[in-house]
Amino acid sequence: MTGSSEGGVATAPAATRRLLETLGGRRSRTRGSGGRLPLLPQLAMLLPALALFTVLVIIPLVMSIVYSFTNLDSYGRVTSVVGLANYKHLFLDPNTVRALEVTAVLTIVCTVVINFASVGIAMLLNQRGPMYNVYRSAIFYPYVFSALISGFVWSAILNPDGAINTLLTRFGLAPVPFFTDPNLAVVSLIVVTIWNSMGFSVVLYLAGLQTIPQDLLEAAEVDGASSFQRFRKVIWPLLGPTVTINIVLVSIGLLRTYDLVVSLTGGGPAGQSNTIAYRIIALGFSSNEAGQASAGAVVLLLATIALAGIVMLVRRRTSWT
Amino acid sequence: MDVTVEAMRTPVHPAARRKKKPSTAKRAAKLGRHVALAVLSVAWIIPLYVVVINAFKAQDDILSDPFGFAPGKLSLQYLWRAIVNPDFNVLGSYGFTAMLVVLNMVFVVLFATPVSYLIARSVKKRHQALLVYFLLGTFIPGQVILVPVTKILLGTGLMGSLWGLLAFQVAGSMPVTIFLFVGYIRTIPREIDEAAEIDGAGLFRRCWQVIFPLIRPIVATVVILTGMGVWNDFVNPQIILGPLGAKTVTTGIYAAIGKYITDYTTVFPDLLLALAPALIFFILMQRNIIGGLTAGATKS
């Protein structure tokens, strides 16, 4: 039971080893902990987090999956097992189908735009100087605002009598129905999402760029690489892991867009700009359709897992480094 | 890659030496960079400018000239009216949300630290499986589980209470927090807590008195992430506390704006008050926020 590895001590930094010898007065019997840990304190350390997470995340997840195959009464009691009927209703309900479309468009467009723009902006920002800090702050600050409040800010600006339309009419142009045209409402969602969350990607890419050794870029320049070649052959491959992380984080976040819909468009006009997350909450809490809401939840969950899986897979295949 | 590094070490290429002074092309590129970034920055700041400036203007001025800045016409009365508005107790919502944030920070760190310590230090399969179990949580959107969560909270009598909301938020923070903590603790040499063990420190003391002081940087990251998440959370307080329950800044503004949507002299001051704490936090803590976010994302 003394554990076997002398190796642990041998590879320990000299200072730590000295510390060990002074403190212990003997060479330590390095061991993998865990096996020797007393059970009771272990449980005491695990239990709060484990119990809370299990009761309020994992069990609800299982319940959601179960609910999606059942009918529930208005008290939330399961009345009958209905198989795939909830899913069928879901995909026949034009509001939900539209919500799935809107979510897909929003996720794809914003992920693509945010990532392309952020790499470009981060490259521009990757310079020393006080002005660059100002630019970075200006692009990043909306990220600290809740999506809900950002949506209210923009709804006050894009309203029929809001700032933008006031300006347009003053120049003799026709006002733009940002919220009453179904497709423009989705465009508004996209624009505000980009305003609200692009800063996160920019600072992430900036951090990624700053880990690229300057020597490497200078060397490439000396070797006569054009700026495009430097980007394509040096920066891009080294930025690879950041790109993967960013795409996964941004797209998974976008799939669950909810707050912004509430405050910016209210899902309107006539449900034409609601997202799947918005639809789940509406079905589950306003219309008391817990079964259908759960089916929607399972769809959202599967989409999240599929998206993360696809991105990881594609990135692994095409990594150049 | 080695080849290029070598190239750099060789004496400077004549073509590079000639480029000591910035060429016209380089200066043009620099100018272009500033122009592009300045335009973008201004575009990004305009919404904030509109909120700030219109929070001090009368309805007619807002409608006729939303971008205008006429110092003589500005007034503090709208902001004051928003502060004392009985329908939206702004200061109360600051206090309540701040309390919720602090409670979240305390419990997230209190619960996640010991579990992460065990996982990070154990070589047992079951502890590694535990990590995977917690990480499942990162793929579960909150809306997916909210309907059953309300049933569970109803069953335990925690629906509509601060503690129910807190419990759900803390549970939701566990995956990311544990993931970051485990990763960080693993970079701390095992010999440190083994030395403490030889000195007779038990599991709890090793966790809280030896390791915890060493993981402060990642605790700071988690505190910032949790703080921003809870301060900005809307759907959870809205559903769990209910429309008649205590108001956070987000649920409070939601209730207030819904009522006054066409009265800009209420909307803009309310928005300014809702944005102000986040904005001040950003101005004071910018470096830490960006550092924390980057650490949080790149460690994963």
Side-chain angles (χ1 to χ4, degrees):
Chain A
M1 276 303 279
T2 52
S4 55
S5 59
E6 282 297 319
V9 175
T11 52
T16 325
R17 211 182 321 157
R18 254 201 319 277
L19 175 79
L20 258 178
E21 280 161 9
T22 337
L23 288 177
R26 56 190 162 142
R27 300 291 292 239
S28 99
R29 312 177 309 260
T30 318
R31 63 186 79 88
S33 322
R36 288 190 75 263
L37 296 175
L39 195 64
L40 219 58
Q42 257 199 72
L43 275 181
M45 290 172 93
L46 288 177
L47 218 55
L50 188 61
L52 201 63
F53 180 72
T54 305
V55 172
L56 289 180
V57 177
I58 299 297
I59 291 178
L61 177 70
V62 175
M63 286 165 77
S64 263
I65 296 171
V66 172
Y67 283 175
S68 74
F69 300 108
T70 62
N71 253 342
L72 293 96
D73 64 16
S74 51
Y75 297 102
R77 286 181 302 228
V78 175
T79 51
S80 59
V81 177
V82 296
L84 290 172
N86 284 325
Y87 291 90
K88 209 171 128 194
H89 282 161
L90 202 67
F91 288 111
L92 288 176
D93 173 3
N95 260 333
T96 309
V97 172
R98 174 74 184 179
L100 288 168
E101 287 170 8
V102 169
T103 311
V105 168
L106 182 79
T107 305
I108 293 168
V109 172
C110 288
T111 305
V112 170
V113 171
I114 286 177
N115 277 281
F116 271 104
S118 298
V119 171
I121 294 166
M123 301 261 300
L124 292 177
L125 273 176
N126 192 18
Q127 309 281 335
R128 285 188 188 284
M131 277 317 285
Y132 292 101
N133 289 339
V134 174
Y135 298 142
R136 189 191 59 182
S137 306
I139 295 165
F140 178 77
Y141 82 93
Y143 189 74
V144 299
F145 299 154
S146 76
L148 183 90
I149 298 173
S150 298
F152 280 132
V153 168
W154 277 89
S155 84
I157 291 170
L158 298 178
N159 263 340
D161 60 354
I164 299 275
N165 279 323
T166 306
L167 205 64
L168 287 175
T169 22
R170 194 186 298 166
F171 288 121
L173 298 164
V176 179
F178 290 106
F179 302 131
T180 42
D181 178 274
N183 292 329
L184 274 179
V186 178
V187 172
S188 304
L189 278 179
I190 290 173
V191 169
V192 180
T193 300
I194 292 171
W195 178 80
N196 189 222
S197 58
M198 192 177 71
F200 173 71
S201 301
V202 170
V203 299
L204 226 59
Y205 280 125
L206 200 53
L209 285 176
Q210 279 160 0
T211 63
I212 296 176
Q214 206 56 41
D215 315 355
L216 232 54
L217 292 170
E218 280 167 17
E221 197 177 351
V222 170
D223 283 349
S226 68
S227 47
F228 176 75
Q229 279 174 321
R230 264 177 286 156
F231 176 76
R232 180 68 187 75
K233 300 286 183 190
V234 182
I235 296 174
W236 185 247
L238 289 177
L239 216 50
T242 314
V243 175
T244 313
I245 284 296
N246 213 342
I247 293 178
V248 172
L249 289 180
V250 169
S251 57
I252 285 182
L254 286 168
L255 276 182
R256 38 184 101 162
T257 302
Y258 171 80
D259 300 13
L260 190 63
V261 182
V262 171
S263 57
L264 190 67
T265 66
Q272 293 298 293
S273 71
N274 59 20
T275 57
I276 187 65
Y278 186 88
R279 197 74 197 120
I280 292 169
I281 301 290
L283 283 170
F285 293 100
S286 312
S287 341
N288 251 320
E289 291 278 0
Q292 267 194 61
S294 300
V298 171
V299 172
L300 173 58
L301 181 73
L302 291 177
T304 306
I305 294 169
L307 194 64
I310 291 169
V311 175
M312 303 279 193
L313 217 68
V314 168
R315 284 296 316 186
R316 189 167 298 170
R317 255 201 208 162
T318 55
S319 64
W320 300 275
T321 40
Chain B
M1 209 186 287
D2 282 339
V3 180
T4 37
V5 173
E6 272 314 304
M8 178 216 51
R9 300 246 157 82
T10 54
V12 181
H13 198 278
R17 191 172 290 163
R18 250 180 278 125
K19 277 193 198 160
K20 272 269 157 70
K21 265 189 191 167
S23 62
T24 337
K26 277 216 163 156
R27 261 181 300 175
K30 194 181 170 192
L31 184 67
R33 194 157 51 217
H34 275 288
V35 170
L37 288 170
V39 168
L40 197 67
S41 301
V42 169
W44 244 244
I45 286 177
I46 283 176
L48 181 63
Y49 168 79
V50 169
V51 171
V52 173
I53 200 72
N54 287 323
F56 302 95
K57 298 204 301 206
Q59 177 87 352
D60 288 347
D61 293 334
I62 298 172
L63 287 176
S64 64
D65 190 9
F67 295 102
F69 173 73
K73 283 183 161 179
L74 302 183
S75 159
L76 277 172
Q77 58 163 312
Y78 310 106
L79 202 59
W80 179 248
R81 215 179 55 201
I83 290 174
V84 296
N85 179 359
D87 288 324
F88 176 31
N89 180 355
V90 181
L91 301 180
S93 79
Y94 285 171
F96 180 70
T97 319
M99 179 179 72
L100 196 60
V101 163
V102 171
L103 284 172
N104 259 284
M105 289 170 172
V106 169
F107 280 101
V108 164
V109 173
L110 201 65
F111 285 5
T113 307
V115 127
S116 310
Y117 176 63
L118 268 187
I119 294 174
R121 283 306 187 234
S122 169
V123 290
K124 291 265 174 185
K125 277 246 169 63
R126 60 183 141 96
H127 286 125
Q128 300 324 304
L130 196 61
L131 181 61
V132 174
Y133 179 71
F134 278 116
L135 289 189
L136 284 179
T138 47
F139 292 104
I140 305 173
Q143 297 97 346
V144 166
I145 51 176
L146 205 48
V147 171
V149 162
T150 56
K151 308 250 181 285
I152 290 173
L153 291 178
L154 268 176
T156 49
L158 287 171
M159 191 66 181
S161 83
L162 166 72
W163 301 105
L165 175 62
L166 180 67
F168 184 50
Q169 286 175 326
V170 171
S173 297
M174 282 300 117
V176 175
T177 307
I178 290 173
F179 187 59
L180 291 174
F181 278 7
V182 168
Y184 200 88
I185 295 173
R186 279 181 180 157
T187 66
I188 297 171
R190 218 176 252 268
E191 282 74 13
I192 290 180
D193 29 328
E194 277 168 358
E197 190 181 359
I198 289 163
D199 271 1
L203 203 51
F204 281 97
R205 285 191 64 172
R206 268 178 279 151
C207 173
W208 289 110
Q209 289 195 325
V210 179
I211 293 299
F212 187 65
L214 296 174
I215 63 168
R216 254 184 244 150
I218 203 72
V219 172
T221 297
V222 161
V223 161
I224 287 174
L225 292 179
T226 311
M228 276 175 58
V230 173
W231 184 273
N232 289 337
D233 192 6
F234 167 67
V235 65
N236 297 324
Q238 179 72 7
I239 301 281
I240 294 175
L241 297 178
L244 300 174
K247 291 275 182 278
T248 66
V249 174
T250 53
T251 58
I253 192 115
Y254 175 72
I257 298 251
K259 218 176 243 179
Y260 300 105
I261 192 69
T262 51
D263 177 8
Y264 286 127
T265 58
T266 308
V267 169
F268 281 117
D270 272 348
L271 285 175
L272 180 59
L273 290 169
L275 292 179
L279 201 60
I280 292 167
F281 170 69
F282 170 72
I283 292 167
L284 295 179
M285 304 277 290
Q286 191 187 166
R287 227 159 251 287
N288 300 301
I289 297 169
I290 292 178
L293 285 171
T294 336
T298 49
K299 294 265 159 44
S300 44

